Amino acid sequence: MEVSHRARLAPFQPETVWTLEAGALVETRGKVERRFPLSGLTRYSLAVDRTGGRRRSLLLTFGRRRLSIASQSYLGPGQFEDRLTSFSTLARAIAAVGADLAPRARFGLARFEARAALTWVMGLTAFGAAAMLLFSLTAGMASVGVDMAARMSFVLILMFAVLPWLNRGTPFDPHAPPSDLLP
């Protein structure tokens, strides 16, 4: 059984067709055809519009090759046709087959992760405190450097206190029954 989804992505391009065939995802745009074997899938990321719209997109990574599949089709300036039913069928099929053929692939939802962002900010703050202390010591202004590094370290301690309350996000199980993400 072949599962397919069609969408027109831009005004001057022909309609793009994504078809799941025997362990490979085939993208056809006009006369150009690209094949992506699902055994080479490294990342499956589903982006969901949470602002009340019905836009979804699927971002797939096959090593260095990337593929994006949209749920809506372009009709005209500012007009889009919703093709969510065929998109959700294809997304579920790719997730199920991809999880079996590429067990090391990472499956998840594309979203802003506050925990990762806070970790980066904490690292940069720690680096800044160490650099402030080092540069003030070499400039002969140890008291100013210790004072500024202590203040930055206090902010760093407050950030560490917030970190356990930030959620890690719910894991995405490709074999789970359909949820509200894919109607």
Side-chain angles (χ1 to χ4, degrees), residues 73-160:
S73 182
Y74 177 81
L75 291 177
Q79 298 175 346
F80 296 94
E81 180 184 356
D82 186 23
R83 296 185 178 177
L84 192 57
T85 55
S86 64
F87 172 80
S88 62
T89 304
L90 180 68
R92 283 190 196 114
I94 291 172
V97 175
D100 291 338
L101 295 179
R104 301 190 83 175
R106 292 182 9 204
F107 292 85
L109 299 173
R111 61 180 169 246
F112 176 74
E113 297 184 17
R115 188 177 186 89
L118 184 64
T119 304
W120 273 99
V121 170
M122 288 171 23
L124 291 173
T125 304
F127 179 74
M132 177 70 65
L133 185 60
L134 178 68
F135 291 142
S136 67
L137 290 176
T138 58
M141 300 179 73
S143 62
V144 173
V146 169
D147 184 43
M148 291 297 290
R151 291 171 192 256
M152 291 174 78
S153 298
F154 179 70
V155 171
L156 191 62
I157 290 169
L158 292 177
M159 284 187 224
F160 269 115

Side-chain angles (χ1 to χ4, degrees), residues 19-30:
T19 307
L20 185 62
E21 303 175 346
L25 182 64
V26 180
E27 179 188 53
T28 308
R29 183 178 299 150

